[in-house]
Amino acid sequence: MMATQDGEREDSGVEVRVIGEPIGKGLFATQDFKAGDVIFEERPLVSCQFLWNAAYGYLACDFCMRSLETAQENASRLAQNPQLSLPFPECCDTKKDTFIECPSCDASYCSRECRSSAWNQYHETLCLRSYMPDPSHPLVMLQEAWKQMHYPPETACVMLLARIIATVRQASDKEGATALFMQFCHRTMNEEEEIAHKLLGQEFQEQLESLRTLIEKSVWSSEVQQWLTPEGFRSLVALVGTNGQGIGTSPLSRWVRNCDNLDLSEEERKNLNHLIDDLYDQLEKEAGGFLNNEGSGLYPLQSSCNHSCNNNAMPTFPYNNFQLVMSAVQDISVGEEICVSYLDECNLGRSRHSRNAILRENYLFTCKCSKCEEQTGEPDVTSEEEMEEDDDLED
């Protein structure tokens, strides 16, 4: 729902409904959607590129995560082939003439607007004010500590926590800013099922205290002290861990999309498709599945979507920035709940037991969707255990 200028409510096609414990809330359709329709679009309250992703040379705007490479540069780097040349350069929509840096540190942005937005929201607090950061600076130490604790593939970033805290510190309405973040689920465990979030296990207590201490040294103020106590910090980690939506941006994917719109002959289209297929084969060989600028963000509407292993909607990032587009992948009727998959395509294909093991440690619940209910008679073993049993039978 959105507010119009006269204060009335304008139906945007969806609404958040309270549906009781333990789920809490869900997103429901207030109109019919066909498969392929856009259900809604939204920007995150805050987002951040993953630290290892940045360390490996994936260049992204420090605010909106738009790629700072051209499609040509991106493809050449990922394929480790400096001679690689892409046709139709006009299909690349990277505009380097708008790029700009923070005047006080090495943060880079795709536009003055993004630089200004970052400074006004959180960067004034987090700016290192040096192009050669002091290794002993608490924020530098915080990022290095996180990288040593969490290797790729990444699913969260400690700097997202820092940006949340800095956003509240810089907000003119600090209570309102805090409330925006506290609307997200932030429980550290599911008492009913006795599940604790994987980032908060006993084996991580020493790491968590180290991170909390470094954040406290970096961004402490009285307005955010509730998040800097040991329990408050656990709550903030759980908030990011259970609500963070992965973001992926790529100038190459935008180039491919724009190429699809070219007016080409049948032969030219065939040759272009062959070139693109060969290119992605090269990229998979050299970079595996790590093709995008990757990070995560907090999206109010997206976070209201519950999980289903038979999802009817899917988030995408077609604009090469943090703007999320939720699209229907099945027909959705008025009153039907809009559900996404919290699992990637690979994990969706695993056994019910494997899927739920991932959901329990990352999102603190056991899935009871139609697909899981249909598979309740399957053995309670992981996909790996199933494969081992099949191998034993063959032997």
Coordinates of all heavy atoms in Angstrom, one line a residue, residues 212-252:
R212 N 31.1 -7.3 18.2 CA 30.4 -6.3 19.0 C 31.3 -5.2 19.5 O 31.0 -4.0 19.5 CB 29.6 -7.0 20.1 CG 28.6 -6.0 20.8 CD 28.1 -6.7 22.1 NE 29.2 -6.8 23.1 CZ 29.6 -5.8 23.9 NH1 29.0 -4.6 23.8 NH2 30.5 -6.0 24.8
T213 N 32.4 -5.6 20.1 CA 33.4 -4.7 20.6 C 33.9 -3.7 19.6 O 34.0 -2.5 19.8 CB 34.5 -5.4 21.3 OG1 34.0 -6.2 22.3 CG2 35.5 -4.4 21.9
L214 N 34.2 -4.2 18.4 CA 34.7 -3.4 17.3 C 33.6 -2.4 16.8 O 33.9 -1.2 16.5 CB 35.2 -4.2 16.2 CG 36.5 -5.0 16.5 CD1 36.8 -6.0 15.4 CD2 37.7 -4.0 16.6
I215 N 32.4 -2.9 16.7 CA 31.3 -2.0 16.3 C 31.1 -0.9 17.3 O 30.8 0.3 17.0 CB 30.0 -2.8 16.0 CG1 30.1 -3.4 14.6 CG2 28.8 -1.9 16.1 CD1 28.8 -4.0 14.0
E216 N 31.1 -1.3 18.6 CA 30.9 -0.4 19.7 C 32.0 0.8 19.6 O 31.6 1.9 19.8 CB 31.0 -1.1 21.0 CG 30.6 -0.2 22.2 CD 30.6 -1.0 23.5 OE1 31.4 -1.9 23.6 OE2 29.7 -0.7 24.3
K217 N 33.2 0.4 19.3 CA 34.3 1.4 19.2 C 34.1 2.3 18.0 O 34.5 3.4 18.0 CB 35.6 0.7 19.1 CG 36.1 0.0 20.4 CD 37.4 -0.7 20.2 CE 37.9 -1.4 21.5 NZ 39.2 -2.0 21.3
S218 N 33.4 1.7 17.0 CA 33.3 2.5 15.7 C 32.1 3.4 15.7 O 32.2 4.6 15.2 CB 33.1 1.5 14.5 OG 34.2 0.6 14.5
V219 N 31.0 3.0 16.2 CA 29.7 3.8 16.0 C 28.9 4.0 17.3 O 27.7 4.3 17.2 CB 28.8 3.1 14.9 CG1 29.5 3.1 13.6 CG2 28.5 1.7 15.3
W220 N 29.5 3.8 18.4 CA 28.7 4.0 19.6 C 28.1 5.4 19.8 O 28.7 6.4 19.5 CB 29.5 3.7 20.9 CG 28.6 3.6 22.1 CD1 28.0 2.6 22.7 CD2 28.2 4.8 23.0 NE1 27.3 2.9 23.8 CE2 27.4 4.3 24.0 CE3 28.5 6.1 22.9 CZ2 26.8 5.1 25.0 CZ3 27.9 6.9 23.9 CH2 27.1 6.4 24.9
S221 N 26.9 5.4 20.2 CA 26.2 6.7 20.7 C 25.0 6.2 21.5 O 24.6 5.1 21.4 CB 25.8 7.5 19.5 OG 24.6 7.0 18.9
S222 N 24.5 7.1 22.3 CA 23.5 6.8 23.2 C 22.2 6.4 22.5 O 21.4 5.6 23.0 CB 23.1 8.0 24.2 OG 22.8 9.1 23.4
E223 N 22.0 6.9 21.3 CA 20.8 6.5 20.5 C 20.7 5.1 20.1 O 19.6 4.6 19.8 CB 20.6 7.4 19.3 CG 20.5 8.9 19.6 CD 21.9 9.6 19.6 OE1 22.9 8.9 19.5 OE2 21.9 10.8 19.6
V224 N 21.9 4.4 20.0 CA 21.9 3.0 19.5 C 22.4 2.1 20.5 O 22.8 0.9 20.2 CB 22.7 3.0 18.2 CG1 22.0 3.7 17.1 CG2 24.1 3.4 18.4
Q225 N 22.6 2.5 21.8 CA 23.2 1.7 22.8 C 22.4 0.3 23.0 O 23.0 -0.7 23.4 CB 23.3 2.4 24.1 CG 22.0 2.9 24.7 CD 22.3 3.7 26.0 OE1 23.3 3.5 26.7 NE2 21.4 4.6 26.3
Q226 N 21.1 0.3 22.7 CA 20.4 -0.9 22.9 C 20.8 -2.0 22.0 O 20.7 -3.2 22.3 CB 18.9 -0.7 22.7 CG 18.4 -0.5 21.2 CD 18.6 0.9 20.7 OE1 19.2 1.7 21.3 NE2 17.9 1.2 19.6
W227 N 21.5 -1.7 20.8 CA 22.0 -2.7 19.9 C 23.4 -3.0 20.2 O 24.0 -3.9 19.5 CB 21.9 -2.1 18.5 CG 20.5 -2.2 17.9 CD1 19.5 -3.1 18.2 CD2 19.9 -1.4 16.9 NE1 18.4 -2.8 17.5 CE2 18.6 -1.8 16.6 CE3 20.4 -0.3 16.1 CZ2 17.8 -1.2 15.7 CZ3 19.6 0.3 15.2 CH2 18.3 -0.2 15.0
L228 N 24.0 -2.4 21.1 CA 25.5 -2.6 21.4 C 25.7 -3.4 22.7 O 26.8 -3.6 23.0 CB 26.2 -1.3 21.4 CG 26.2 -0.6 20.0 CD1 26.8 0.8 20.1 CD2 26.8 -1.4 18.9
T229 N 24.6 -3.7 23.4 CA 24.7 -4.7 24.5 C 24.9 -6.1 23.9 O 24.5 -6.3 22.7 CB 23.5 -4.7 25.3 OG1 22.4 -5.1 24.6 CG2 23.2 -3.3 25.9
P230 N 25.4 -7.1 24.6 CA 25.6 -8.4 24.0 C 24.2 -9.0 23.5 O 24.2 -9.5 22.4 CB 26.1 -9.2 25.2 CG 26.9 -8.3 26.0 CD 26.1 -7.0 25.9
E231 N 23.1 -8.8 24.2 CA 21.9 -9.4 23.7 C 21.3 -8.5 22.6 O 20.7 -9.0 21.6 CB 20.8 -9.4 24.8 CG 19.6 -10.2 24.5 CD 19.8 -11.6 23.9 OE1 20.7 -12.3 24.4 OE2 19.1 -12.0 23.0
G232 N 21.5 -7.2 22.6 CA 21.0 -6.3 21.6 C 21.8 -6.6 20.3 O 21.2 -6.6 19.2
F233 N 23.1 -6.9 20.4 CA 23.8 -7.2 19.2 C 23.4 -8.5 18.6 O 23.3 -8.6 17.4 CB 25.3 -7.2 19.5 CG 26.2 -7.3 18.3 CD1 26.3 -6.3 17.4 CD2 27.0 -8.4 18.1 CE1 27.1 -6.4 16.3 CE2 27.8 -8.5 17.0 CZ 27.9 -7.5 16.1
R234 N 23.1 -9.5 19.4 CA 22.6 -10.8 18.9 C 21.3 -10.6 18.2 O 21.1 -11.2 17.1 CB 22.4 -11.7 20.1 CG 23.7 -12.3 20.7 CD 23.4 -13.1 22.0 NE 22.4 -14.1 21.8 CZ 22.7 -15.4 21.3 NH1 24.0 -15.7 21.1 NH2 21.8 -16.3 21.2
S235 N 20.5 -9.7 18.7 CA 19.2 -9.4 18.0 C 19.4 -8.8 16.7 O 18.8 -9.1 15.7 CB 18.4 -8.5 18.9 OG 17.2 -8.0 18.2
L236 N 20.4 -7.9 16.6 CA 20.7 -7.2 15.3 C 21.3 -8.2 14.3 O 21.0 -8.1 13.1 CB 21.7 -6.0 15.5 CG 21.8 -5.0 14.4 CD1 20.5 -4.4 14.1 CD2 22.9 -3.9 14.8
V237 N 22.2 -9.1 14.7 CA 22.7 -10.1 13.9 C 21.6 -11.0 13.3 O 21.5 -11.3 12.2 CB 23.8 -10.9 14.6 CG1 24.2 -12.2 13.8 CG2 25.0 -10.1 14.9
A238 N 20.7 -11.4 14.2 CA 19.5 -12.2 13.8 C 18.6 -11.5 12.8 O 18.1 -12.1 11.9 CB 18.7 -12.6 15.0
L239 N 18.5 -10.2 13.0 CA 17.7 -9.4 12.1 C 18.2 -9.4 10.7 O 17.5 -9.7 9.7 CB 17.6 -7.9 12.6 CG 16.7 -6.9 11.8 CD1 16.3 -5.8 12.8 CD2 17.4 -6.3 10.6
V240 N 19.5 -9.2 10.6 CA 20.2 -9.2 9.3 C 20.2 -10.7 8.7 O 20.0 -10.9 7.5 CB 21.6 -8.7 9.4 CG1 22.4 -8.9 8.1 CG2 21.6 -7.2 9.6
G241 N 20.5 -11.6 9.6 CA 20.6 -13.0 9.1 C 19.3 -13.6 8.6 O 19.3 -14.4 7.7
T242 N 18.2 -13.2 9.2 CA 16.9 -13.8 8.8 C 16.2 -12.9 7.8 O 15.2 -13.4 7.1 CB 16.0 -14.0 10.0 OG1 15.8 -12.8 10.7 CG2 16.6 -15.0 11.0
N243 N 16.6 -11.7 7.6 CA 15.8 -10.8 6.7 C 16.6 -10.3 5.5 O 16.1 -9.8 4.5 CB 15.3 -9.6 7.4 CG 14.3 -9.9 8.4 OD1 13.1 -10.1 8.1 ND2 14.7 -10.0 9.7
G244 N 18.0 -10.5 5.5 CA 18.8 -10.0 4.4 C 18.5 -10.6 3.1 O 18.5 -11.9 3.0
Q245 N 18.1 -9.8 2.1 CA 17.8 -10.3 0.8 C 19.1 -10.2 -0.1 O 19.7 -9.1 -0.2 CB 16.7 -9.5 0.1 CG 16.6 -9.7 -1.4 CD 16.2 -11.1 -1.8 OE1 15.3 -11.7 -1.3 NE2 16.9 -11.6 -2.8
G246 N 19.5 -11.3 -0.7 CA 20.7 -11.2 -1.5 C 20.5 -10.3 -2.7 O 19.4 -10.3 -3.3
I247 N 21.5 -9.5 -3.1 CA 21.4 -8.6 -4.3 C 22.5 -9.0 -5.2 O 23.7 -9.2 -4.8 CB 21.6 -7.1 -3.8 CG1 20.6 -6.7 -2.8 CG2 21.6 -6.2 -5.0 CD1 20.8 -5.4 -2.2
G248 N 22.2 -9.1 -6.5 CA 23.2 -9.3 -7.5 C 23.1 -8.4 -8.7 O 22.0 -8.2 -9.2
T249 N 24.2 -7.7 -9.0 CA 24.1 -6.7 -10.1 C 25.2 -7.1 -11.1 O 26.3 -7.6 -10.7 CB 24.3 -5.3 -9.7 OG1 25.7 -5.1 -9.1 CG2 23.3 -4.9 -8.6
S250 N 25.0 -6.8 -12.4 CA 25.9 -7.2 -13.4 C 25.8 -6.4 -14.7 O 24.7 -6.4 -15.3 CB 25.7 -8.7 -13.8 OG 26.4 -9.1 -15.0
P251 N 26.8 -5.7 -15.1 CA 26.7 -5.0 -16.4 C 26.6 -5.9 -17.6 O 26.1 -5.6 -18.6 CB 28.0 -4.2 -16.5 CG 29.0 -5.0 -15.7 CD 28.2 -5.6 -14.6
L252 N 27.2 -7.1 -17.4 CA 27.1 -8.1 -18.5 C 25.7 -8.6 -18.8 O 25.3 -8.7 -19.9 CB 28.1 -9.3 -18.2 CG 28.2 -10.4 -19.3 CD1 28.7 -9.7 -20.6 CD2 29.1 -11.5 -18.9

